[in-house]
Amino acid sequence: MRILVCGGAGFIGSHTCTVLAERGHELVIADSFVNSSPRVEGRLEAILGHAPACHRVDLLDRGAVAALFACERFDAVIHFAALKAVGESCERPLDYFDNNIAGTIHLLQAMRAAGVGRLVFSSSATVYGDPDTVPVCEDAALRVSNPYGRSKLVMEQLIGDLCTYDPGFQAVNLRYFNPVGAHPSGLIGEDPGGIPGNLMPYICQVAVGRRERLEVFGGDWPTVDGTGVRDYIHVMDLARAHADALDFLFRERRSATVNLGTGRGTSVLQLVRAFGRASGREIPHRIVARRAGDVAEVYADPSLARSLLGWQAELDIDAMCRDAWRWQSMNPDGYGDEPAAGTAAHATASRRVPDQVSEAIAGG
């Protein structure tokens, strides 16, 4: 099939491209490069032996999105494109609502106009907020605690309404827990702009000498060692799930929402020790006060993904740390170009006017 991958140069998007290509799909990447590096295209070419078609397109530019669908044919779309920093979303909520929600509306409008009726959506376990019980099932209460999570929930709801009222449109919403790791080649991986907001890339940067030490928020949680427990999932397992979700859509022709996790929790200190084993380096860290909004433990019940998609996680925490360290040690400065930033202000500054975007589309 010919698949449009929106946000395909980003962390999860680029890894998903490798799995889709291995399964014989033809890929077209659309990315604004706000949260990603243009150098990913060359890295994908090195991994795949060919460079997927890549267009610089911002989903907020309705005309550019329409032009892309007018000049290309797609069988399905995978939608990764969004701003994604929880802390920044609290500082700039309207920018997050504008970018993530309006961009999704423009994409759905273009898909309907072009008669493309299959979508895999990159959602998030943040839609559960602080769950009442663990493991978390898909029918758990939805109560977001930050604007990023709210934008993801609204995006899910928009897609769900379209599936309900348009019998020709089906979608799979994939609610990720904590993606980590990297491609086994070490050529692509996670390269956050600025100070990492997630644990694994922060540990990576401490190990490679870019950060002095890790601060662990809270050592008195009611967990195995007093530190927070989360469900970490290898990005390559996550990438497989997107390809399996596409197969489900074309096989079953119905919609679904599923959790993607291992079903096992790992504490902060357990992850620090595992990364130390993988890297052969001590990870300096200290316990500090709890951070507002954090919870003791969150991990998934992934059984629905297994029964509907035939998917389950295969790679353990040691493999996640080993692959993350290979990426970071081979690329101590990430992709090494202009900061991916990931900021809403940078997103606004980077958008092209419509005629420039159309030229980029036409030129491939």
Side-chain angles (χ1 to χ4, degrees):
M1 293 181 288
R2 199 158 195 264
I3 310 301
L4 174 63
V5 186
C6 295
F11 172 44
I12 301 170
S14 60
H15 288 76
T16 299
C17 283
T18 68
V19 173
L20 294 172
E22 288 170 359
R23 295 198 185 182
H25 298 302
E26 182 182 357
L27 307 179
V28 176
I29 293 172
D31 205 298
S32 68
F33 297 104
V34 168
N35 273 332
S36 57
S37 169
R39 296 187 180 184
V40 169
E41 187 177 2
R43 303 293 184 95
L44 287 175
E45 182 176 11
I47 293 169
L48 303 177
H50 67 278
C54 187
H55 302 303
R56 185 182 290 268
V57 175
D58 191 318
L59 295 186
L60 270 185
D61 189 330
R62 188 197 303 263
V65 178
L68 176 60
F69 278 84
C71 70
E72 298 270 16
R73 179 195 61 80
F74 305 113
D75 296 301
V77 175
I78 302 181
H79 180 20
F80 296 102
L83 297 175
K84 60 178 183 177
V86 170
E88 182 188 66
S89 77
C90 298
E91 299 168 2
R92 300 174 174 271
L94 295 180
D95 290 321
Y96 268 66
F97 299 151
D98 182 33
N99 187 88
N100 295 359
I101 297 170
T104 297
I105 291 172
H106 296 164
L107 176 62
L108 295 175
Q109 289 172 330
M111 289 179 67
R112 289 197 77 193
V116 181
R118 303 289 183 274
L119 174 69
V120 176
F121 173 54
S122 164
S123 191
S124 169
T126 56
V127 299
Y128 296 119
D130 182 1
D132 294 323
T133 59
V134 291
V136 183
C137 298
E138 289 81 359
D139 60 0
L142 303 178
R143 43 173 178 242
V144 297
S145 58
N146 56 72
Y148 164 69
R150 186 167 304 282
S151 74
K152 285 290 186 178
L153 180 56
V154 172
M155 293 156 83
E156 278 196 19
Q157 291 168 336
L158 292 170
I159 292 166
D161 283 348
L162 185 55
C163 292
T164 297
Y165 297 108
D166 183 347
F169 193 92
Q170 288 91 42
V172 174
N173 296 317
L174 299 177
R175 292 175 177 164
Y176 314 160
F177 276 66
N178 297 79
V180 297
H183 192 271
S185 68
L187 291 175
I188 57 175
E190 188 170 12
D191 184 22
I195 300 173
N198 294 323
L199 179 60
M200 180 69 92
Y202 204 106
I203 291 175
C204 285
Q205 292 188 12
V206 170
V208 83
R210 288 173 60 182
R211 308 283 169 192
E212 181 179 359
R213 68 169 62 88
L214 171 71
E215 292 191 338
V216 179
F217 296 106
D220 57 351
W221 295 102
T223 62
V224 62
D225 57 21
T227 64
V229 170
R230 299 292 182 269
D231 190 341
Y232 298 97
I233 176 173
H234 199 296
V235 67
M236 294 307 299
D237 278 336
L238 195 61
R240 276 193 304 107
H242 292 77
D244 292 341
L246 276 179
D247 291 343
F248 171 84
L249 281 173
F250 282 89
R251 179 180 67 248
E252 301 291 335
R253 298 190 177 277
R254 61 189 176 98
S255 300
T257 295
V258 298
N259 290 335
L260 295 180
T262 64
R264 298 182 299 276
T266 300
S267 76
V268 174
L269 291 182
Q270 287 172 336
L271 185 62
V272 166
R273 289 193 293 270
F275 199 91
R277 293 193 300 270
S279 64
R281 300 190 176 191
E282 182 182 356
I283 309 300
H285 62 277
R286 64 178 180 180
I287 306 293
V288 298
R290 293 184 184 185
R291 183 173 52 183
D294 276 349
V295 298
E297 62 179 346
V298 179
Y299 56 94
D301 178 347
S303 57
L304 187 61
R306 183 167 57 251
S307 62
L308 286 186
L309 308 183
W311 174 92
Q312 63 182 7
E314 298 176 352
L315 298 168
D316 63 14
I317 199 71
D318 290 319
M320 299 177 209
C321 292
R322 184 172 60 249
D323 289 340
W325 173 240
R326 183 183 299 111
W327 150 257
Q328 194 69 75
S329 59
M330 289 174 60
N331 305 271
D333 296 315
Y335 291 109
D337 49 11
E338 288 298 312
T343 65
H346 182 70
T348 302
S350 72
R351 289 175 192 130
R352 297 183 175 190
V353 297
D355 60 339
Q356 290 173 310
V357 179
S358 297
E359 287 170 8
I361 294 171

